[in-house]
Amino acid sequence: MSDEEETSDTTYLEDDTYDAGDPKTFDLNFKGPVAKRSCTDVLCCIIFILCIIGYILLGLLAWVHGDPRRVAYPTDSKGHFCGQKGTPNENKTILFYFNLLSCTSPSVVINLQCPTTQICVSKCPEKFLTYMEIQFTYRTNKNYWTYYSQFCKSTFVKPAKTLTQVLLDDDCPIAIFPSKPFLQRCFPDFSTKNGTLTVGNKTTFEDGSGKTRNAIELRAAANRVNKILDARTIGMKIFEDYATTWYWILLGLIIAMFLSWMFVILLRYIAGLLFWVFMVGVIGIIGYGIGHCYQEYCNLQGQPNSHLTVYDIGIQTDISMYFQLKQTWFTFMVILCLLEVFIILMLIFLRERIRISIALLKEGSKAIGYIPTTLVYPLLTFIFLSICISYWAVIAVYLATSGVPVYKVITPEGQCKHENTTCDPEIFNTTEIAKACPGAQCNFAFYGGKSLYHQYIPTFQIFNLFVFLWLINFVIALGQCALAGAFASYYWALKKPDDIPPYPLFTAFGRAIRYHTGSLAFGSLILASIQIFRIVLEYLDRHLKEAQNNISKFLQCCLKCCFWCLETVVKFLNRNAYIMIAIYGKNFCMSAREAFNLLMRNVLKVAVMDNVTDFVLILGKILVTGCIGVLAFLLFTQRLPTIIEGPTSLNYYWVPLLTVIIGSYLVAHGFFSVYAMCVDTIFICFCEDLERNDGSTEKPYFLAPTLHGTLNKMQLVSQKQKE
């Protein structure tokens, strides 16, 4: 049915039985969001409250059983914390491994399951020494033994035991070598000298058992521990860069905030001009990026190893190595060129629709100008989201650290039939296992337990994740509903701004909390359920990737795609349903149905306005981010020395640069998300207005005359309405 037919057949009722899903019935007295409301979706509200109460109880339960010190402090072979106050290990904050050569992988080292004794020490060894050397030098110089004995389990007066006895009793390490603390654990002090790997400036050393080892063997035994040390070095350099540039980063974010705010204000007066500023600015910034990538690509011509590919060098902890490849800059250049072409084509084919979007943007700017508190609301959403994220992370850590110490049998050679069985360290030496497996040890493995609580910890973690997703989506839904209510109050005010009610945002927020918590929770529950299914699919895909055949991989990809599409559609429907809830105060299902029917009856207007307006706002975000990003790039790369002197001697200029770019985008997104919600609300109200009214004296339009005139020119208002 066409718009003309719908309008000509419309009747108006004098009562309050308006149904937004039925274009035939309207309330003549409707002048804004319904004030008289009742609670909606009460059952879902009760379930939501019960889940929150259960979430709080889960947090208390995890707090009682969990101990985050198990993450912060390393644990010795007996399960005692290193560096814990009030214990004998208070001043011993570092974990030391008796025989690191027995550790076969980095994961074993990090997870404290290396088949060797681990004790807490106050500092790592700084020199090469063996137990056999100490026995000879003790008679002439006792200082060596004093130094060596601090790495033994207990203090000995002198090294009287033989090497064999020391190995059997496991009292002392048979050798120590220079190490440095990392993650509160002693790791070999690897370095490179003239292209040769060394430990403590030595390429070979005695292992204490009469064998000569080299640094390569130690690195192989530690299994890529040097990469962990490289990561430590990178981490320290990144920390230094942040310490040097933090005030520049903060300044960039403040500039991004003021730039976003300025654009929002200017859109009210010069939306058309500002749109073309967006266009030219985005095209210019992308063009600058293309030129810079081409220049870097040309500069690498003839450079050694620049012809290698990412596949050739593999995964590197030093990210700067990727920027020394021609392939990297060529890839960036191709991506930017495609983006440039896409934007230009969008401008060519959507030039007519852009005019309508500009009119909507002007109307949105007026609404935000009359309700300026809406620009502050993203800060409240950020606070709520931060609380949810922090609570989820804390519970996850406490659940992960719940349990009692579990000890398991380990042997250096791993040939004992009792390997990996649980044991009791207090009586282990008197058991049959110690006799059947010479050299076996009963070492701490992890924290766990067999109680009912410990058996359900994985279930609690899933519940923690699910409620977290539910709360995150609820906070976003609450913000959308509150903003929609405020902007709907603006639209349905016949005389603006005189008829706008006082404190519209505060009133809309209170209505959403008081009457529609259940409806918002219902929509959030649907979205959270889809997201948890996507996470489960991703988890299964990662853990079963090697066991999958081509058919199962194809089905997995199809499922991922379907759930992604479903999530996108549900987000769109939820957003419009929240707008209808804010206006009419009905439950979620009815509001979603009415919003869907309304959009379907105005599908042409949806195609013309909604997506193009989103495109314009995205360009605004890109422009703000691009401007700040270009300035930060010129500053951090010392290309503005004549104007302003930026930070010098940065290790990785891309660290503060990416921080500024990502932070600027989030700031711009916070401002423009309010703008997007404003435009969407005005659009829904505009569709309602065209169906309710015909522009006559009895039924005047509520939309602005300028917007109505633009729609007339684009023939989006029916002939009956224009008369």
Side-chain angles (χ1 to χ4, degrees), residues 462-649:
I462 295 175
F463 178 76
N464 180 33
L465 177 61
F466 177 75
V467 179
F468 164 71
L469 294 175
W470 195 356
L471 287 174
I472 289 292
N473 288 296
F474 177 82
V475 169
I476 296 174
L478 177 61
Q480 292 175 344
C481 189
L483 291 172
F487 292 128
S489 300
Y490 161 82
Y491 184 92
W492 294 108
L494 188 59
K495 295 181 180 180
K496 302 175 178 63
D498 297 335
D499 292 344
I500 299 176
Y503 311 111
L505 180 60
F506 179 80
T507 303
F509 181 83
R511 277 200 304 260
I513 288 291
R514 181 177 178 181
Y515 297 109
H516 307 303
T517 297
S519 298
L520 301 179
F522 192 8
S524 305
L525 175 62
I526 297 173
L527 196 54
S529 301
I530 297 173
Q531 290 171 344
I532 200 72
F533 273 114
R534 290 190 63 192
I535 293 174
V536 170
L537 284 175
E538 189 66 31
Y539 176 83
L540 293 176
D541 182 51
R542 288 180 178 273
H543 287 77
L544 302 177
K545 184 171 292 185
E546 295 182 358
Q548 291 176 346
N549 53 33
N550 293 331
I551 297 177
S552 61
K553 289 180 180 179
F554 174 75
L555 294 176
Q556 190 83 2
C557 291
C558 290
L559 283 174
K560 287 183 181 180
C561 181
C562 290
F563 273 98
W564 178 83
C565 294
L566 180 61
E567 182 180 353
T568 303
V569 171
V570 170
K571 282 183 178 180
F572 175 77
L573 293 177
N574 281 7
R575 186 182 182 91
N576 290 282
Y578 299 147
I579 295 175
M580 301 299 284
I581 290 172
I583 298 174
Y584 299 109
K586 297 186 179 182
N587 62 41
F588 177 81
C589 293
M590 292 183 63
S591 299
R593 177 178 63 87
E594 293 170 0
F596 179 78
N597 291 337
L598 181 64
L599 294 175
M600 288 299 101
R601 295 197 304 270
N602 298 272
V603 64
L604 178 61
K605 301 179 183 67
V606 173
V608 170
M609 297 182 185
D610 198 40
N611 294 330
V612 180
T613 305
D614 290 340
F615 173 68
V616 173
L617 295 178
I618 289 174
L619 289 179
K621 299 176 189 178
I622 295 176
L623 180 60
V624 172
T625 306
C627 290
I628 302 300
V630 169
L631 290 176
F633 174 76
L634 297 176
L635 179 68
F636 294 138
T637 56
Q638 295 294 308
R639 303 195 182 194
L640 292 175
T642 57
I643 301 176
I644 185 173
E645 184 178 355
T648 58
S649 65

Side-chain angles (χ1 to χ4, degrees), residues 39-316:
C39 296
T40 57
D41 295 305
V42 178
L43 179 60
C44 192
C45 179
I46 294 174
I47 296 174
F48 182 62
I49 294 174
L50 290 177
C51 280
I52 293 178
I53 294 174
Y55 201 32
I56 295 174
L57 293 177
L58 176 62
L60 295 175
L61 189 65
W63 181 75
V64 170
H65 290 86
D67 192 348
R69 293 176 303 174
R70 297 166 185 173
V71 177
Y73 298 101
T75 312
D76 64 12
S77 298
K78 302 303 180 183
H80 302 144
F81 294 122
C82 297
Q84 182 182 358
K85 293 183 178 180
T87 66
N89 292 332
E90 180 176 358
N91 297 323
K92 300 178 179 180
T93 59
I94 308 172
L95 191 68
F96 172 73
Y97 299 87
F98 269 25
N99 184 12
L100 194 61
L101 289 168
S102 64
C103 302
T104 57
S105 68
S107 61
V108 169
V109 175
I110 296 173
N111 293 325
L112 310 177
Q113 295 178 0
C114 181
T116 186
T117 301
Q118 303 140 36
I119 64 171
C120 300
V121 296
S122 58
K123 62 180 181 178
C124 295
E126 299 174 349
K127 60 182 69 175
F128 289 99
L129 282 174
T130 65
Y131 186 81
M132 295 179 64
E133 291 176 344
I134 294 299
Q135 287 185 312
F136 289 107
T137 58
Y138 172 76
R139 301 171 184 175
T140 57
N141 191 343
K142 297 182 180 181
N143 292 330
Y144 283 98
W145 171 246
T146 302
Y147 179 82
Y148 194 89
S149 62
Q150 64 181 322
F151 303 107
C152 297
K153 282 185 179 180
S154 56
T155 304
F156 295 95
V157 178
K158 58 182 180 178
K161 291 186 177 182
T162 63
L163 179 61
T164 304
Q165 191 64 35
V166 167
L167 289 174
L168 290 175
D169 297 340
D170 201 35
D171 287 327
C172 294
I174 59 175
I176 60 174
F177 44 81
S179 305
K180 287 186 176 181
F182 173 56
L183 295 176
Q184 293 182 276
R185 294 162 177 83
C186 291
F187 285 113
D189 183 15
F190 287 118
S191 60
T192 303
K193 186 176 182 180
N194 297 327
T196 303
L197 185 69
T198 63
V199 178
N201 295 325
K202 283 188 177 183
T203 57
T204 60
F205 58 93
E206 296 290 332
D207 67 352
S209 60
K211 297 181 180 179
T212 301
R213 302 292 186 103
N214 56 43
I216 298 177
E217 289 181 86
L218 182 60
R219 184 176 67 175
N223 198 355
R224 303 174 187 173
V225 172
N226 64 312
K227 288 188 177 293
I228 300 176
L229 297 176
D230 289 341
R232 176 199 60 180
T233 304
I234 292 176
M236 291 300 296
K237 290 181 178 179
I238 290 176
F239 177 78
E240 292 174 359
D241 290 341
Y242 276 126
T244 305
T245 61
W246 67 269
Y247 49 91
W248 292 106
I249 294 173
L250 182 61
L251 179 62
L253 298 181
I254 293 175
I255 295 175
M257 181 183 67
F258 278 104
L259 196 60
S260 302
W261 177 77
M262 183 182 67
F263 281 154
V264 170
I265 299 301
L266 290 178
L267 279 171
R268 179 178 179 181
Y269 304 101
I270 53 172
L273 176 61
L274 202 59
F275 169 77
W276 291 111
V277 171
F278 283 177
M279 295 298 100
V280 175
V282 170
I283 292 174
I285 289 172
I286 296 177
Y288 174 82
I290 294 172
H292 178 73
C293 292
Y294 179 75
Q295 182 181 3
E296 293 291 339
Y297 178 81
C298 294
N299 292 337
L300 289 174
Q301 293 285 356
Q303 294 291 332
N305 299 327
S306 64
H307 64 282
L308 298 176
T309 64
V310 175
Y311 178 80
D312 293 331
I313 66 174
I315 300 176
Q316 298 291 331

